[in-house]
Amino acid sequence: MMSKPVILTGLRANNDLTIGNYLGAILPMVDMAKKRAGEYRVNMFVPDLHSFTTPIDHGQLYDQVINNIKVYIAAGLPIDHDDVYVYRQSYVPAHSELTWILDCFTGMGEMSRMTQFKDKSAKLSEDRISLGLFNYPVLMAADILLYDASYVPVGDDQTQHLEFTRDIGERMNKQFGELFTIPLPVPKQHEFFGKDQGLRIRDLVDPTKKMSKSDETGRGVIFLSDSPEVATKKIMGAATDSFGEVAFDSKERPGVTNLLTILALLSGKPQHEVNAEWEGKTSYGDFKKGVAEVVASFLTDFQARLAAVDEQPVLSKLEQSEVAMRALSEKTLLRTQQAVGLRPKS
């Protein structure tokens, strides 16, 4: 297990997942696991500790974690592969223990400059901004450095965090010797994974922003739990434009382009084929009906697959993976504890 290079990525722990999550993150992650497992060890962890850096309903967290793992399995995640490990962050204590050590070598200024912290904290009152939100990148660094992971797929909102992981890892190595494998820089990550990691499905009502569960009305968001009828209504109410004909142009025609993108991804057809079928058509109503039919068919099929996922194999996979990851992470943690003087050197 230890001889293979490591790919590490996080599965969402909580919240209702949307078709934006499905198309932009879940499917690429599943595809990566299918293609890379064997040559690489694929660590897929559930960041349940990260999930309450901002307020959530804690009474639902455990069940949401299990349900979201089932969503990945329904999407095709090969949990029966020996080189795919699925584990919960909170079930591997070394994540929290290494975070504290790294915290003590991290500056306040480094954390306060993080764009994601600025964006998320701006939406909260000062007394609701948690220390967990502030030092989130340190826990993320521990998630990565514990397992000698070289490859970490990152989107635009996580590039700063990966850069910090490299910085703190190199800082510790310089002071204490070779403790950690340093993950590749962001450009090399994009080169390795060989795909557009910036795919963003847009909000149906306001296509200038990405589809997000934080949309208060829910009208612009299609959740994986939506009924086909509800999803159809949302598609039929989607914003288009005043040009009067269908065309693919993400800058000038974001609403129509978003619908064409969803249509291509869910139908499994190349984008250029879908565009050729619809471009120039003047009935936005017929166009939306075509998109709605594909979305409704997808939801019907996906929800059936999700309902068929047996929970017992999921729990067994988690238990097996967590035993393996505790053993691996504790070796890295012990090495670090010895280096900083918390344990005797052997």
Side-chain angles (χ1 to χ4, degrees):
M1 180 171 67
M2 296 185 65
S3 63
K4 295 179 180 179
V6 178
I7 296 171
L8 183 142
T9 190
L11 312 182
R12 287 180 179 266
N14 63 326
N15 298 314
D16 289 334
L17 296 170
T18 71
I19 63 165
N21 299 135
Y22 184 84
L23 296 172
I26 297 174
L27 280 188
M29 208 175 290
V30 168
D31 183 62
M32 179 274 293
K34 287 179 175 178
K35 291 180 177 178
R36 302 284 189 176
E39 185 179 358
Y40 298 85
R41 189 178 86 229
V42 182
N43 282 19
M44 311 192 87
F45 78 102
V46 183
D48 49 355
L49 292 173
H50 285 301
S51 67
F52 52 93
T53 54
T54 53
I56 64 166
D57 182 346
H58 291 270
Q60 297 184 22
L61 178 57
Y62 180 84
D63 289 338
Q64 286 179 329
V65 166
I66 300 301
N67 184 70
N68 282 4
I69 295 171
K70 290 181 179 179
V71 167
Y72 284 86
I73 294 170
L77 183 65
I79 64 166
D80 56 344
H81 198 294
D82 289 342
D83 284 326
V84 173
Y85 293 83
V86 182
Y87 56 100
R88 292 160 291 190
Q89 188 183 41
S90 68
Y91 279 66
V92 184
H95 287 252
S96 300
E97 295 184 47
L98 182 60
T99 296
W100 175 253
I101 295 174
L102 298 181
D103 271 340
C104 294
F105 294 87
T106 299
M108 294 277 289
E110 288 179 290
M111 294 298 95
S112 63
R113 289 191 292 270
M114 292 291 167
T115 301
Q116 203 169 66
F117 170 72
K118 293 177 183 177
D119 291 345
K120 290 188 176 182
S121 62
K123 301 173 184 176
L124 301 170
S125 59
E126 188 171 348
D127 62 345
R128 299 304 300 276
I129 301 172
S130 70
L131 292 175
L133 179 61
F134 184 71
N135 83 330
Y136 172 108
V138 186
L139 178 54
M140 180 172 165
D143 297 333
I144 297 168
L145 296 174
L146 278 170
Y147 301 101
D148 297 322
S150 296
Y151 305 100
V152 185
V154 287
D156 292 339
D157 58 345
Q158 295 289 338
T159 56
Q160 269 190 312
H161 296 173
L162 184 64
E163 289 164 357
F164 168 73
T165 299
R166 287 173 46 79
D167 289 344
I168 189 64
E170 289 172 348
R171 185 180 309 156
M172 297 294 287
N173 284 355
K174 183 176 181 180
Q175 184 167 348
F176 296 106
E178 295 301 310
L179 296 177
F180 305 118
T181 296
I182 307 302
L184 295 175
V186 172
K188 291 290 186 181
Q189 299 291 351
H190 291 313
E191 182 181 321
F192 175 79
F193 289 104
K195 64 181 67 174
D196 178 12
Q197 297 175 340
L199 174 64
R200 293 289 186 272
I201 300 302
R202 317 308 296 182
D203 186 275
L204 297 175
V205 174
D206 181 4
T208 63
K209 64 181 184 180
K210 73 175 183 179
M211 186 178 287
S212 171
K213 60 185 174 7
S214 62
D215 172 58
E216 293 182 359
T217 68
R219 293 188 299 116
V221 181
I222 296 176
F223 294 99
L224 293 178
S225 57
D226 279 346
S227 69
E229 294 76 20
V230 167
T232 295
K233 186 175 180 180
K234 290 178 179 180
I235 292 288
M236 297 308 296
T240 49
D241 51 51
S242 58
F243 286 90
E245 67 176 24
V246 177
F248 190 92
D249 184 338
S250 57
K251 291 184 178 179
E252 298 294 330
R253 317 283 295 278
V256 170
T257 300
N258 188 46
L259 293 175
L260 284 167
T261 301
I262 293 171
L263 185 56
L265 290 169
L266 291 183
S267 65
K269 297 179 181 178
Q271 188 68 62
H272 67 88
E273 285 187 15
V274 171
N275 294 350
E277 181 182 351
W278 286 100
E279 281 184 329
K281 300 286 178 65
T282 57
S283 174
Y284 283 170
D286 289 343
F287 171 53
K288 288 181 181 180
K289 285 179 183 177
V291 178
E293 287 174 2
V294 170
V295 171
S297 177
F298 160 73
L299 288 174
T300 299
D301 177 63
F302 179 79
Q303 290 168 5
R305 283 187 277 126
L306 179 59
V309 175
D310 185 355
E311 187 167 307
Q312 192 53 51
V314 177
L315 296 176
S316 295
K317 180 67 174 184
L318 286 170
E319 183 177 353
Q320 293 165 9
S321 296
E322 285 156 4
V323 167
M325 293 302 106
R326 281 195 289 270
L328 279 178
S329 63
E330 284 167 8
K331 290 181 180 179
T332 305
L333 178 62
L334 176 60
R335 186 167 67 241
T336 307
Q337 290 169 326
Q338 290 172 328
V340 300
L342 295 174
R343 298 289 186 274
K345 294 182 179 180
S346 55

